[in-house]
Amino acid sequence: MTIPDTCCSLAPYFKVHEGQLEAFREGCTDFVEKTGSEPGCLFYGFSFNGDEVHCREGYKDAQALLAHLENVGDLINEALKISDITRIEVHGPES
């Protein structure tokens, strides 16, 4: 029996403004805490390379990904005051 692949992943890349790295790191804690209550989240975490930050996220389906974006919308707005999104990738099945 084959299980259908419904997983959707999101990978935003941020460039943190000069002098704002510690504030961005603190904000990541808020993202992780808020995302932890989402039933459709499969994995979620940040990696840092100097002032470049990558968030690796996976959701059980597209609806869960969209629910996540709604859940953390206020945090995204705050993060964008001290960083810029340089790239974003979304992967999942066509359906």
Side-chain angles (χ1 to χ4, degrees):
M1 180 170 102
T2 303
I3 299 172
D5 176 13
T6 62
C7 179
C8 293
S9 64
L10 181 64
Y13 295 79
F14 299 89
K15 175 83 168 173
V16 180
H17 299 168
E18 188 173 334
Q20 296 297 319
L21 191 56
E22 190 55 39
F24 193 92
R25 282 185 183 275
E26 291 172 11
C28 290
T29 301
D30 296 334
F31 273 103
V32 170
E33 183 177 301
K34 198 161 192 182
T35 301
S37 66
E38 296 175 6
C41 183
L42 302 174
F43 56 87
Y44 190 88
F46 290 89
S47 61
F48 290 78
N49 182 19
D51 62 358
E52 296 177 356
V53 182
H54 165 248
C55 186
R56 184 174 166 267
E57 315 173 36
Y59 303 91
K60 71 177 185 174
D61 55 28
Q63 288 77 17
L65 187 151
L66 293 172
H68 165 74
L69 293 175
E70 186 173 322
N71 184 40
V72 299
D74 58 332
L75 296 177
I76 292 170
N77 290 333
E78 289 301 311
L80 291 177
K81 292 178 183 176
I82 59 171
S83 69
D84 298 305
I85 293 179
T86 58
R87 185 169 99 203
I88 190 163
E89 298 177 15
V90 180
H91 300 274
E94 184 177 352
S95 61

